mmCIF file of all heavy atoms in Angstrom:
data_model
loop_
_atom_site.group_PDB
_atom_site.id
_atom_site.type_symbol
_atom_site.label_atom_id
_atom_site.label_comp_id
_atom_site.label_asym_id
_atom_site.label_seq_id
_atom_site.Cartn_x
_atom_site.Cartn_y
_atom_site.Cartn_z
ATOM 1 N N LEU A 1021 -79.856 -26.163 40.019
ATOM 2 C CA LEU A 1021 -78.586 -25.491 40.364
ATOM 3 C C LEU A 1021 -77.389 -26.096 39.625
ATOM 4 O O LEU A 1021 -76.408 -25.429 39.345
ATOM 5 C CB LEU A 1021 -78.343 -25.593 41.876
ATOM 6 C CG LEU A 1021 -79.281 -24.757 42.754
ATOM 7 C CD1 LEU A 1021 -79.034 -25.062 44.233
ATOM 8 C CD2 LEU A 1021 -79.113 -23.267 42.484
ATOM 9 N N SER A 1022 -77.375 -27.357 39.249
ATOM 10 C CA SER A 1022 -76.195 -28.017 38.651
ATOM 11 C C SER A 1022 -75.877 -27.499 37.268
ATOM 12 O O SER A 1022 -74.717 -27.365 36.887
ATOM 13 C CB SER A 1022 -76.418 -29.537 38.605
ATOM 14 O OG SER A 1022 -77.531 -29.836 37.781
ATOM 15 N N LEU A 1023 -76.887 -27.217 36.457
ATOM 16 C CA LEU A 1023 -76.652 -26.756 35.075
ATOM 17 C C LEU A 1023 -75.925 -25.416 35.047
ATOM 18 O O LEU A 1023 -74.908 -25.289 34.369
ATOM 19 C CB LEU A 1023 -77.982 -26.688 34.322
ATOM 20 C CG LEU A 1023 -77.885 -26.310 32.841
ATOM 21 C CD1 LEU A 1023 -76.988 -27.286 32.099
ATOM 22 C CD2 LEU A 1023 -79.291 -26.287 32.212
ATOM 23 N N PRO A 1024 -76.336 -24.395 35.772
ATOM 24 C CA PRO A 1024 -75.563 -23.134 35.770
ATOM 25 C C PRO A 1024 -74.145 -23.296 36.303
ATOM 26 O O PRO A 1024 -73.226 -22.641 35.848
ATOM 27 C CB PRO A 1024 -76.389 -22.225 36.678
ATOM 28 C CG PRO A 1024 -77.774 -22.793 36.624
ATOM 29 C CD PRO A 1024 -77.585 -24.270 36.488
ATOM 30 N N GLU A 1025 -73.949 -24.199 37.296
ATOM 31 C CA GLU A 1025 -72.618 -24.386 37.854
ATOM 32 C C GLU A 1025 -71.665 -24.949 36.782
ATOM 33 O O GLU A 1025 -70.514 -24.543 36.665
ATOM 34 C CB GLU A 1025 -72.678 -25.317 39.060
ATOM 35 C CG GLU A 1025 -73.269 -24.647 40.290
ATOM 36 C CD GLU A 1025 -73.332 -25.605 41.466
ATOM 37 O OE1 GLU A 1025 -72.944 -26.788 41.263
ATOM 38 O OE2 GLU A 1025 -73.730 -25.193 42.550
ATOM 39 N N VAL A 1026 -72.146 -25.887 35.969
ATOM 40 C CA VAL A 1026 -71.309 -26.469 34.903
ATOM 41 C C VAL A 1026 -70.934 -25.397 33.895
ATOM 42 O O VAL A 1026 -69.788 -25.275 33.475
ATOM 43 C CB VAL A 1026 -72.047 -27.635 34.235
ATOM 44 C CG1 VAL A 1026 -71.294 -28.100 32.995
ATOM 45 C CG2 VAL A 1026 -72.216 -28.794 35.212
ATOM 46 N N ARG A 1027 -71.933 -24.649 33.498
ATOM 47 C CA ARG A 1027 -71.665 -23.595 32.526
ATOM 48 C C ARG A 1027 -70.679 -22.563 33.089
ATOM 49 O O ARG A 1027 -69.813 -22.039 32.385
ATOM 50 C CB ARG A 1027 -72.973 -22.907 32.137
ATOM 51 C CG ARG A 1027 -73.892 -23.796 31.303
ATOM 52 C CD ARG A 1027 -75.188 -23.081 30.991
ATOM 53 N NE ARG A 1027 -76.053 -23.922 30.154
ATOM 54 C CZ ARG A 1027 -77.292 -23.562 29.789
ATOM 55 N NH1 ARG A 1027 -77.793 -22.396 30.187
ATOM 56 N NH2 ARG A 1027 -77.998 -24.376 29.038
ATOM 57 N N LEU A 1028 -70.797 -22.272 34.350
ATOM 58 C CA LEU A 1028 -69.869 -21.301 34.964
ATOM 59 C C LEU A 1028 -68.452 -21.830 35.004
ATOM 60 O O LEU A 1028 -67.485 -21.101 34.746
ATOM 61 C CB LEU A 1028 -70.354 -20.987 36.373
ATOM 62 C CG LEU A 1028 -69.518 -19.953 37.155
ATOM 63 C CD1 LEU A 1028 -69.510 -18.616 36.416
ATOM 64 C CD2 LEU A 1028 -70.084 -19.783 38.565
ATOM 65 N N ASP A 1029 -68.265 -23.124 35.254
ATOM 66 C CA ASP A 1029 -66.916 -23.723 35.265
ATOM 67 C C ASP A 1029 -66.280 -23.628 33.886
ATOM 68 O O ASP A 1029 -65.093 -23.306 33.743
ATOM 69 C CB ASP A 1029 -66.986 -25.186 35.713
ATOM 70 C CG ASP A 1029 -67.314 -25.310 37.199
ATOM 71 O OD1 ASP A 1029 -67.129 -24.298 37.912
ATOM 72 O OD2 ASP A 1029 -67.719 -26.405 37.593
ATOM 73 N N ASP A 1030 -67.100 -23.902 32.866
ATOM 74 C CA ASP A 1030 -66.566 -23.824 31.495
ATOM 75 C C ASP A 1030 -66.155 -22.395 31.164
ATOM 76 O O ASP A 1030 -65.100 -22.145 30.537
ATOM 77 C CB ASP A 1030 -67.622 -24.307 30.495
ATOM 78 C CG ASP A 1030 -67.869 -25.809 30.593
ATOM 79 O OD1 ASP A 1030 -66.982 -26.500 31.165
ATOM 80 O OD2 ASP A 1030 -68.900 -26.269 30.095
ATOM 81 N N LEU A 1031 -67.016 -21.481 31.606
ATOM 82 C CA LEU A 1031 -66.687 -20.084 31.339
ATOM 83 C C LEU A 1031 -65.415 -19.660 32.065
ATOM 84 O O LEU A 1031 -64.559 -18.955 31.511
ATOM 85 C CB LEU A 1031 -67.863 -19.189 31.764
ATOM 86 C CG LEU A 1031 -69.118 -19.264 30.894
ATOM 87 C CD1 LEU A 1031 -70.246 -18.448 31.520
ATOM 88 C CD2 LEU A 1031 -68.821 -18.764 29.483
ATOM 89 N N LEU A 1032 -65.284 -20.133 33.295
ATOM 90 C CA LEU A 1032 -64.071 -19.791 34.048
ATOM 91 C C LEU A 1032 -62.828 -20.410 33.407
ATOM 92 O O LEU A 1032 -61.757 -19.769 33.324
ATOM 93 C CB LEU A 1032 -64.204 -20.255 35.493
ATOM 94 C CG LEU A 1032 -65.218 -19.487 36.354
ATOM 95 C CD1 LEU A 1032 -65.354 -20.120 37.736
ATOM 96 C CD2 LEU A 1032 -64.758 -18.025 36.493
ATOM 97 N N ASP A 1033 -62.954 -21.653 32.944
ATOM 98 C CA ASP A 1033 -61.806 -22.294 32.261
ATOM 99 C C ASP A 1033 -61.436 -21.532 30.992
ATOM 100 O O ASP A 1033 -60.258 -21.341 30.675
ATOM 101 C CB ASP A 1033 -62.146 -23.747 31.908
ATOM 102 C CG ASP A 1033 -62.215 -24.637 33.129
ATOM 103 O OD1 ASP A 1033 -61.659 -24.226 34.171
ATOM 104 O OD2 ASP A 1033 -62.808 -25.726 33.021
ATOM 105 N N GLU A 1034 -62.456 -21.106 30.273
ATOM 106 C CA GLU A 1034 -62.198 -20.367 29.040
ATOM 107 C C GLU A 1034 -61.541 -19.030 29.345
ATOM 108 O O GLU A 1034 -60.614 -18.598 28.645
ATOM 109 C CB GLU A 1034 -63.505 -20.151 28.270
ATOM 110 C CG GLU A 1034 -63.289 -19.486 26.915
ATOM 111 C CD GLU A 1034 -64.579 -19.368 26.125
ATOM 112 O OE1 GLU A 1034 -65.601 -19.956 26.561
ATOM 113 O OE2 GLU A 1034 -64.563 -18.716 25.064
ATOM 114 N N VAL A 1035 -62.014 -18.375 30.418
ATOM 115 C CA VAL A 1035 -61.401 -17.083 30.808
ATOM 116 C C VAL A 1035 -59.948 -17.282 31.199
ATOM 117 O O VAL A 1035 -59.057 -16.519 30.805
ATOM 118 C CB VAL A 1035 -62.201 -16.447 31.967
ATOM 119 C CG1 VAL A 1035 -61.422 -15.264 32.561
ATOM 120 C CG2 VAL A 1035 -63.564 -15.987 31.471
ATOM 121 N N ARG A 1036 -59.711 -18.373 31.984
ATOM 122 C CA ARG A 1036 -58.331 -18.654 32.375
ATOM 123 C C ARG A 1036 -57.456 -18.932 31.160
ATOM 124 O O ARG A 1036 -56.315 -18.502 31.064
ATOM 125 C CB ARG A 1036 -58.293 -19.829 33.354
ATOM 126 C CG ARG A 1036 -58.670 -19.440 34.770
ATOM 127 C CD ARG A 1036 -58.294 -20.552 35.739
ATOM 128 N NE ARG A 1036 -59.117 -21.739 35.528
ATOM 129 C CZ ARG A 1036 -60.256 -21.984 36.187
ATOM 130 N NH1 ARG A 1036 -60.706 -21.113 37.072
ATOM 131 N NH2 ARG A 1036 -60.927 -23.086 35.937
ATOM 132 N N SER A 1037 -58.020 -19.682 30.200
ATOM 133 C CA SER A 1037 -57.260 -19.990 28.969
ATOM 134 C C SER A 1037 -56.958 -18.725 28.184
ATOM 135 O O SER A 1037 -55.839 -18.536 27.687
ATOM 136 C CB SER A 1037 -58.068 -20.977 28.117
ATOM 137 O OG SER A 1037 -57.410 -21.215 26.887
ATOM 138 N N ARG A 1038 -57.976 -17.841 28.081
ATOM 139 C CA ARG A 1038 -57.758 -16.603 27.348
ATOM 140 C C ARG A 1038 -56.723 -15.717 28.059
ATOM 141 O O ARG A 1038 -55.888 -15.088 27.418
ATOM 142 C CB ARG A 1038 -59.081 -15.848 27.208
ATOM 143 C CG ARG A 1038 -60.096 -16.536 26.331
ATOM 144 C CD ARG A 1038 -59.687 -16.517 24.869
ATOM 145 N NE ARG A 1038 -60.643 -17.186 24.018
ATOM 146 C CZ ARG A 1038 -61.702 -16.579 23.479
ATOM 147 N NH1 ARG A 1038 -61.944 -15.309 23.722
ATOM 148 N NH2 ARG A 1038 -62.521 -17.270 22.695
ATOM 149 N N LEU A 1039 -56.818 -15.695 29.393
ATOM 150 C CA LEU A 1039 -55.847 -14.901 30.150
ATOM 151 C C LEU A 1039 -54.423 -15.437 29.950
ATOM 152 O O LEU A 1039 -53.464 -14.682 29.818
ATOM 153 C CB LEU A 1039 -56.220 -14.910 31.643
ATOM 154 C CG LEU A 1039 -57.458 -14.106 32.038
ATOM 155 C CD1 LEU A 1039 -57.781 -14.306 33.514
ATOM 156 C CD2 LEU A 1039 -57.228 -12.610 31.738
ATOM 157 N N THR A 1040 -54.322 -16.793 29.947
ATOM 158 C CA THR A 1040 -53.002 -17.399 29.712
ATOM 159 C C THR A 1040 -52.494 -17.059 28.317
ATOM 160 O O THR A 1040 -51.320 -16.730 28.111
ATOM 161 C CB THR A 1040 -53.083 -18.925 29.869
ATOM 162 O OG1 THR A 1040 -53.550 -19.240 31.184
ATOM 163 C CG2 THR A 1040 -51.717 -19.558 29.637
ATOM 164 N N GLU A 1041 -53.401 -17.120 27.338
ATOM 165 C CA GLU A 1041 -53.036 -16.792 25.960
ATOM 166 C C GLU A 1041 -52.612 -15.331 25.847
ATOM 167 O O GLU A 1041 -51.624 -15.007 25.199
ATOM 168 C CB GLU A 1041 -54.221 -17.086 25.037
ATOM 169 C CG GLU A 1041 -53.890 -16.877 23.555
ATOM 170 C CD GLU A 1041 -55.072 -17.229 22.657
ATOM 171 O OE1 GLU A 1041 -56.047 -17.815 23.179
ATOM 172 O OE2 GLU A 1041 -55.016 -16.920 21.465
ATOM 173 N N ILE A 1042 -53.393 -14.453 26.501
ATOM 174 C CA ILE A 1042 -53.051 -13.021 26.478
ATOM 175 C C ILE A 1042 -51.713 -12.792 27.152
ATOM 176 O O ILE A 1042 -50.873 -12.018 26.682
ATOM 177 C CB ILE A 1042 -54.158 -12.202 27.179
ATOM 178 C CG1 ILE A 1042 -55.440 -12.227 26.336
ATOM 179 C CG2 ILE A 1042 -53.702 -10.760 27.391
ATOM 180 C CD1 ILE A 1042 -56.634 -11.608 27.039
ATOM 181 N N SER A 1043 -51.468 -13.496 28.258
ATOM 182 C CA SER A 1043 -50.190 -13.359 28.966
ATOM 183 C C SER A 1043 -49.031 -13.828 28.080
ATOM 184 O O SER A 1043 -47.961 -13.200 28.043
ATOM 185 C CB SER A 1043 -50.227 -14.168 30.260
ATOM 186 O OG SER A 1043 -48.982 -14.136 30.919
ATOM 187 N N THR A 1044 -49.281 -14.956 27.365
ATOM 188 C CA THR A 1044 -48.232 -15.460 26.461
ATOM 189 C C THR A 1044 -47.951 -14.480 25.339
ATOM 190 O O THR A 1044 -46.792 -14.216 24.990
ATOM 191 C CB THR A 1044 -48.661 -16.820 25.873
ATOM 192 O OG1 THR A 1044 -48.907 -17.747 26.926
ATOM 193 C CG2 THR A 1044 -47.577 -17.364 24.959
ATOM 194 N N ILE A 1045 -49.026 -13.906 24.783
ATOM 195 C CA ILE A 1045 -48.856 -12.934 23.705
ATOM 196 C C ILE A 1045 -48.106 -11.706 24.218
ATOM 197 O O ILE A 1045 -47.205 -11.187 23.566
ATOM 198 C CB ILE A 1045 -50.229 -12.549 23.120
ATOM 199 C CG1 ILE A 1045 -50.846 -13.745 22.394
ATOM 200 C CG2 ILE A 1045 -50.081 -11.359 22.162
ATOM 201 C CD1 ILE A 1045 -52.277 -13.496 21.918
ATOM 202 N N GLN A 1046 -48.505 -11.258 25.437
ATOM 203 C CA GLN A 1046 -47.812 -10.110 26.023
ATOM 204 C C GLN A 1046 -46.331 -10.418 26.242
ATOM 205 O O GLN A 1046 -45.462 -9.568 26.014
ATOM 206 C CB GLN A 1046 -48.484 -9.715 27.331
ATOM 207 C CG GLN A 1046 -49.837 -9.042 27.177
ATOM 208 C CD GLN A 1046 -50.452 -8.684 28.518
ATOM 209 O OE1 GLN A 1046 -50.155 -9.328 29.525
ATOM 210 N NE2 GLN A 1046 -51.325 -7.677 28.507
ATOM 211 N N GLU A 1047 -46.084 -11.653 26.692
ATOM 212 C CA GLU A 1047 -44.692 -12.039 26.928
ATOM 213 C C GLU A 1047 -43.909 -12.036 25.622
ATOM 214 O O GLU A 1047 -42.767 -11.555 25.557
ATOM 215 C CB GLU A 1047 -44.658 -13.428 27.574
ATOM 216 C CG GLU A 1047 -43.250 -13.954 27.849
ATOM 217 C CD GLU A 1047 -42.523 -13.133 28.907
ATOM 218 O OE1 GLU A 1047 -43.196 -12.480 29.728
ATOM 219 O OE2 GLU A 1047 -41.275 -13.132 28.888
ATOM 220 N N ARG A 1048 -44.523 -12.546 24.551
ATOM 221 C CA ARG A 1048 -43.826 -12.600 23.268
ATOM 222 C C ARG A 1048 -43.648 -11.188 22.686
ATOM 223 O O ARG A 1048 -42.636 -10.878 22.064
ATOM 224 C CB ARG A 1048 -44.580 -13.489 22.284
ATOM 225 C CG ARG A 1048 -44.744 -14.913 22.781
ATOM 226 C CD ARG A 1048 -45.165 -15.849 21.678
ATOM 227 N NE ARG A 1048 -44.056 -16.160 20.793
ATOM 228 C CZ ARG A 1048 -44.133 -17.037 19.784
ATOM 229 N NH1 ARG A 1048 -45.273 -17.675 19.559
ATOM 230 N NH2 ARG A 1048 -43.097 -17.268 19.019
ATOM 231 N N ILE A 1049 -44.663 -10.333 22.898
ATOM 232 C CA ILE A 1049 -44.542 -8.951 22.425
ATOM 233 C C ILE A 1049 -43.425 -8.244 23.191
ATOM 234 O O ILE A 1049 -42.621 -7.506 22.607
ATOM 235 C CB ILE A 1049 -45.886 -8.208 22.589
ATOM 236 C CG1 ILE A 1049 -46.912 -8.760 21.598
ATOM 237 C CG2 ILE A 1049 -45.691 -6.707 22.378
ATOM 238 C CD1 ILE A 1049 -48.302 -8.167 21.776
ATOM 239 N N ARG A 1050 -43.398 -8.489 24.537
ATOM 240 C CA ARG A 1050 -42.318 -7.894 25.317
ATOM 241 C C ARG A 1050 -40.958 -8.422 24.858
ATOM 242 O O ARG A 1050 -39.983 -7.675 24.730
ATOM 243 C CB ARG A 1050 -42.522 -8.190 26.805
ATOM 244 C CG ARG A 1050 -41.516 -7.410 27.679
ATOM 245 C CD ARG A 1050 -41.741 -7.610 29.160
ATOM 246 N NE ARG A 1050 -41.347 -8.941 29.584
ATOM 247 C CZ ARG A 1050 -42.202 -9.895 29.912
ATOM 248 N NH1 ARG A 1050 -43.514 -9.690 29.832
ATOM 249 N NH2 ARG A 1050 -41.778 -11.084 30.285
ATOM 250 N N THR A 1051 -40.915 -9.736 24.577
ATOM 251 C CA THR A 1051 -39.657 -10.311 24.061
ATOM 252 C C THR A 1051 -39.281 -9.690 22.721
ATOM 253 O O THR A 1051 -38.116 -9.407 22.452
ATOM 254 C CB THR A 1051 -39.801 -11.834 23.901
ATOM 255 O OG1 THR A 1051 -40.179 -12.404 25.150
ATOM 256 C CG2 THR A 1051 -38.506 -12.460 23.432
ATOM 257 N N LEU A 1052 -40.286 -9.467 21.868
ATOM 258 C CA LEU A 1052 -40.033 -8.830 20.570
ATOM 259 C C LEU A 1052 -39.501 -7.420 20.752
ATOM 260 O O LEU A 1052 -38.541 -7.018 20.090
ATOM 261 C CB LEU A 1052 -41.306 -8.814 19.730
ATOM 262 C CG LEU A 1052 -41.235 -8.045 18.396
ATOM 263 C CD1 LEU A 1052 -40.205 -8.681 17.478
ATOM 264 C CD2 LEU A 1052 -42.606 -8.010 17.734
ATOM 265 N N LEU A 1053 -40.136 -6.659 21.652
ATOM 266 C CA LEU A 1053 -39.677 -5.290 21.900
ATOM 267 C C LEU A 1053 -38.255 -5.282 22.445
ATOM 268 O O LEU A 1053 -37.416 -4.459 22.039
ATOM 269 C CB LEU A 1053 -40.631 -4.592 22.878
ATOM 270 C CG LEU A 1053 -42.049 -4.309 22.349
ATOM 271 C CD1 LEU A 1053 -42.918 -3.715 23.439
ATOM 272 C CD2 LEU A 1053 -41.980 -3.371 21.142
ATOM 273 N N GLU A 1054 -37.956 -6.215 23.368
ATOM 274 C CA GLU A 1054 -36.591 -6.309 23.887
ATOM 275 C C GLU A 1054 -35.614 -6.671 22.772
ATOM 276 O O GLU A 1054 -34.487 -6.167 22.721
ATOM 277 C CB GLU A 1054 -36.538 -7.356 25.003
ATOM 278 C CG GLU A 1054 -37.263 -6.925 26.270
ATOM 279 C CD GLU A 1054 -37.286 -8.029 27.314
ATOM 280 O OE1 GLU A 1054 -36.862 -9.165 26.968
ATOM 281 O OE2 GLU A 1054 -37.709 -7.773 28.456
ATOM 282 N N ALA A 1055 -36.085 -7.555 21.868
ATOM 283 C CA ALA A 1055 -35.224 -7.952 20.749
ATOM 284 C C ALA A 1055 -34.952 -6.769 19.825
ATOM 285 O O ALA A 1055 -33.816 -6.558 19.363
ATOM 286 C CB ALA A 1055 -35.861 -9.096 19.967
ATOM 287 N N VAL A 1056 -36.009 -5.970 19.564
ATOM 288 C CA VAL A 1056 -35.843 -4.798 18.696
ATOM 289 C C VAL A 1056 -34.868 -3.814 19.328
ATOM 290 O O VAL A 1056 -33.998 -3.252 18.659
ATOM 291 C CB VAL A 1056 -37.214 -4.140 18.431
ATOM 292 C CG1 VAL A 1056 -37.030 -2.793 17.739
ATOM 293 C CG2 VAL A 1056 -38.082 -5.053 17.595
ATOM 294 N N VAL A 1057 -35.020 -3.596 20.634
ATOM 295 C CA VAL A 1057 -34.098 -2.695 21.335
ATOM 296 C C VAL A 1057 -32.684 -3.242 21.291
ATOM 297 O O VAL A 1057 -31.706 -2.513 21.092
ATOM 298 C CB VAL A 1057 -34.557 -2.482 22.792
ATOM 299 C CG1 VAL A 1057 -33.507 -1.706 23.579
ATOM 300 C CG2 VAL A 1057 -35.894 -1.753 22.829
ATOM 301 N N SER A 1058 -32.562 -4.568 21.449
ATOM 302 C CA SER A 1058 -31.240 -5.188 21.483
ATOM 303 C C SER A 1058 -30.500 -5.011 20.165
ATOM 304 O O SER A 1058 -29.326 -4.638 20.140
ATOM 305 C CB SER A 1058 -31.371 -6.676 21.815
ATOM 306 O OG SER A 1058 -30.122 -7.334 21.700
ATOM 307 N N ILE A 1059 -31.201 -5.274 19.066
ATOM 308 C CA ILE A 1059 -30.509 -5.173 17.772
ATOM 309 C C ILE A 1059 -30.302 -3.726 17.358
ATOM 310 O O ILE A 1059 -29.541 -3.443 16.434
ATOM 311 C CB ILE A 1059 -31.281 -5.917 16.665
ATOM 312 C CG1 ILE A 1059 -32.647 -5.263 16.413
ATOM 313 C CG2 ILE A 1059 -31.419 -7.383 16.995
ATOM 314 C CD1 ILE A 1059 -33.401 -5.873 15.270
ATOM 315 N N GLY A 1060 -30.982 -2.815 18.031
ATOM 316 C CA GLY A 1060 -30.782 -1.400 17.720
ATOM 317 C C GLY A 1060 -29.568 -0.805 18.403
ATOM 318 O O GLY A 1060 -29.187 0.332 18.124
ATOM 319 N N GLU A 1061 -28.954 -1.569 19.318
ATOM 320 C CA GLU A 1061 -27.780 -1.087 20.035
ATOM 321 C C GLU A 1061 -26.517 -1.425 19.261
ATOM 322 O O GLU A 1061 -26.359 -2.547 18.773
ATOM 323 C CB GLU A 1061 -27.715 -1.713 21.429
ATOM 324 C CG GLU A 1061 -28.895 -1.344 22.319
ATOM 325 C CD GLU A 1061 -28.847 -2.081 23.641
ATOM 326 O OE1 GLU A 1061 -28.002 -3.004 23.759
ATOM 327 O OE2 GLU A 1061 -29.639 -1.756 24.533
ATOM 328 N N GLY A 1062 -25.638 -0.478 19.160
ATOM 329 C CA GLY A 1062 -24.371 -0.708 18.466
ATOM 330 C C GLY A 1062 -24.484 -0.485 16.976
ATOM 331 O O GLY A 1062 -25.544 -0.714 16.379
ATOM 332 N N LEU A 1063 -23.402 -0.030 16.376
ATOM 333 C CA LEU A 1063 -23.414 0.308 14.947
ATOM 334 C C LEU A 1063 -22.341 -0.442 14.166
ATOM 335 O O LEU A 1063 -22.089 -0.116 13.011
ATOM 336 C CB LEU A 1063 -23.221 1.828 14.772
ATOM 337 C CG LEU A 1063 -24.398 2.696 15.235
ATOM 338 C CD1 LEU A 1063 -24.013 4.161 15.191
ATOM 339 C CD2 LEU A 1063 -25.625 2.436 14.372
ATOM 340 N N GLU A 1064 -21.696 -1.432 14.779
ATOM 341 C CA GLU A 1064 -20.724 -2.256 14.066
ATOM 342 C C GLU A 1064 -21.476 -3.368 13.349
ATOM 343 O O GLU A 1064 -22.221 -4.130 13.971
ATOM 344 C CB GLU A 1064 -19.695 -2.839 15.026
ATOM 345 C CG GLU A 1064 -18.807 -1.794 15.690
ATOM 346 C CD GLU A 1064 -17.884 -1.119 14.705
ATOM 347 O OE1 GLU A 1064 -17.567 -1.749 13.666
ATOM 348 O OE2 GLU A 1064 -17.482 0.033 14.950
ATOM 349 N N LEU A 1065 -21.302 -3.489 12.045
ATOM 350 C CA LEU A 1065 -22.136 -4.375 11.238
ATOM 351 C C LEU A 1065 -21.965 -5.845 11.599
ATOM 352 O O LEU A 1065 -22.961 -6.558 11.792
ATOM 353 C CB LEU A 1065 -21.838 -4.157 9.754
ATOM 354 C CG LEU A 1065 -22.724 -4.952 8.779
ATOM 355 C CD1 LEU A 1065 -24.183 -4.608 8.994
ATOM 356 C CD2 LEU A 1065 -22.297 -4.689 7.346
ATOM 357 N N ASP A 1066 -20.738 -6.336 11.700
ATOM 358 C CA ASP A 1066 -20.535 -7.770 11.938
ATOM 359 C C ASP A 1066 -21.136 -8.223 13.272
ATOM 360 O O ASP A 1066 -21.862 -9.233 13.318
ATOM 361 C CB ASP A 1066 -19.041 -8.102 11.868
ATOM 362 C CG ASP A 1066 -18.508 -8.036 10.441
ATOM 363 O OD1 ASP A 1066 -19.330 -8.034 9.506
ATOM 364 O OD2 ASP A 1066 -17.279 -7.978 10.250
ATOM 365 N N PRO A 1067 -20.856 -7.537 14.390
ATOM 366 C CA PRO A 1067 -21.520 -7.944 15.641
ATOM 367 C C PRO A 1067 -23.045 -7.814 15.564
ATOM 368 O O PRO A 1067 -23.765 -8.614 16.169
ATOM 369 C CB PRO A 1067 -20.939 -6.976 16.678
ATOM 370 C CG PRO A 1067 -19.656 -6.497 16.098
ATOM 371 C CD PRO A 1067 -19.885 -6.458 14.621
ATOM 372 N N LEU A 1068 -23.526 -6.827 14.818
ATOM 373 C CA LEU A 1068 -24.965 -6.637 14.689
ATOM 374 C C LEU A 1068 -25.619 -7.827 13.990
ATOM 375 O O LEU A 1068 -26.675 -8.315 14.417
ATOM 376 C CB LEU A 1068 -25.251 -5.350 13.915
ATOM 377 C CG LEU A 1068 -26.721 -5.085 13.569
ATOM 378 C CD1 LEU A 1068 -27.555 -4.936 14.838
ATOM 379 C CD2 LEU A 1068 -26.855 -3.856 12.681
#
Side-chain angles (χ1 to χ4, degrees):
L1021 290 174
S1022 62
L1023 184 58
E1025 286 179 358
V1026 171
R1027 290 178 178 176
L1028 182 60
D1029 289 341
D1030 290 341
L1031 289 174
L1032 290 175
D1033 289 341
E1034 185 176 351
V1035 169
R1036 281 194 292 267
S1037 176
R1038 293 290 179 88
L1039 289 175
T1040 302
E1041 185 178 349
I1042 291 172
S1043 176
T1044 302
I1045 292 174
Q1046 288 180 333
E1047 179 66 24
R1048 301 195 75 175
I1049 290 175
R1050 188 176 72 253
T1051 303
L1052 174 62
L1053 292 176
E1054 290 175 352
V1056 170
V1057 172
S1058 173
I1059 64 175
E1061 297 175 350
L1063 291 172
E1064 295 292 334
L1065 184 59
D1066 288 344
L1068 174 62

